Amino acid sequence: MGSERAGERPFRATINDVAREAAVSPATVSRVLTGTKAVSADLERRVRAAVERLGYRPNPAAQGLLRGATHTIGMVVPDLGNPYFAEVLKGVTTAAEAADFRTLVSDTGENPDAECAAALELARWTDGVVLCSPRMPDADLAALADRAPRLVCVNRLGRGRTVPAVVVDFEAGVAAVCRHLRGLGHHRVVYLRGPSRAWSERARQRALRAAAGPGFEVAQVPCGSGDLDGYRAADAALATGATAVVAFSDHVALGVLARLDELGVGVPGEVSLTGFDDTSLSRLVSPRLTTVRVSKQDLGRRAWELLGAPAPDVITIAPELVVRASTAPPR
């Protein structure tokens, strides 16, 4: 039965093939392989012998549905090309693997309209879903939580906080950057804005409003979250006359740094530059980047822990300002 002739597709045994080989019903085969109901020792021996002879491999998804657990979790991210999200994913997968869970990932390409559909599809096949920095409106998040109850958010709080979440204190991080620049003597800075629908961007804006005042002016330039966004926004940032650039992320700051280098603008001699996240590249470029350290993998690990929480909970991670060579007193 396991042989194949040239040009034919390889034989793949099905549960019905196993049932015929063992002279039992397909339901009995399923009971033996999933362990959902006890069967006699003779039936189990016949089924397992048939499985071995035919080389049958059960469908993990089908078995998971029968058991009510798949030992798989899902994760939805805005952009896997962004090192930040890749690091959070690594934290989730490392913790999940330690518990013998697999991880399925969906990249929505920074499209908020795709997030709900991706999360619902993953929820069908997994034991829980982690939403990383979702951009969807609060109403959509609340509706999704009703349809996918085993849901955890990273860097997003919905109204009413009905979804467990692990979040960075972005307000505290940006406030620390502003205090640092003001302490160096900068009186006019420019902020390169992140995605308008990002929850973390709204938190940053609150910190900037609180920091702005007499002696410390904050201009703003639309930007985004990627290195090309930073590269393209650098000229507009310089045009504001600011002596320091506050980037939405390290990714953005690295793009700014590349453009300033092309223009012959010295950092920090002519303009200071800060990032956010403390990605590995921030420590490798010249000058090394002043930024705000966030443990991305810890975010992922804590999100995994919240998947099993009995009630909605919120974990807040405190960031840390890391001062390096990209900031200095203005000339």
Side-chain angles (χ1 to χ4, degrees), residues 192 227 230-231 234 245 247 250-268 271-273 281-282 284-289 326:
L192 301 186
D227 48 8
Y231 180 89
V245 177
D250 286 358
H251 219 32
V252 170
L254 293 174
V256 173
L257 190 61
R259 178 56 179 160
L260 295 182
D261 182 63
E262 286 182 354
L263 296 172
V265 176
V267 176
V271 62
S272 287
L273 175 65
L281 283 176
S282 70
L284 301 176
V285 293
S286 181
R288 294 192 303 156
L289 193 63
S326 67

Side-chain angles (χ1 to χ4, degrees), residues 144-157:
L144 175 61
D146 289 337
R147 300 177 64 186
R150 290 170 297 186
L151 191 69
V152 169
C153 283
V154 174
N155 286 336
R156 173 65 184 272
L157 292 177

Side-chain angles (χ1 to χ4, degrees), residues 215-293:
F216 193 76
E217 183 181 351
V218 180
Q220 298 206 19
V221 169
C223 184
S225 60
D227 48 8
L228 285 177
D229 297 319
Y231 180 89
R232 293 166 181 154
D235 291 68
L238 288 176
T240 65
T243 58
V245 177
V246 178
F248 172 79
S249 67
D250 286 358
H251 219 32
V252 170
L254 293 174
V256 173
L257 190 61
R259 178 56 179 160
L260 295 182
D261 182 63
E262 286 182 354
L263 296 172
V265 176
V267 176
E270 295 175 77
V271 62
S272 287
L273 175 65
T274 69
F276 204 111
D277 298 333
D278 193 29
T279 59
S280 58
L281 283 176
S282 70
R283 302 186 292 275
L284 301 176
V285 293
S286 181
R288 294 192 303 156
L289 193 63
T290 291
T291 185
V292 178
R293 178 174 293 151

Side-chain angles (χ1 to χ4, degrees), residues 115-126:
E115 290 175 342
C116 279
L120 288 173
E121 183 62 24
L122 286 174
R124 292 179 58 210
W125 304 103
T126 66

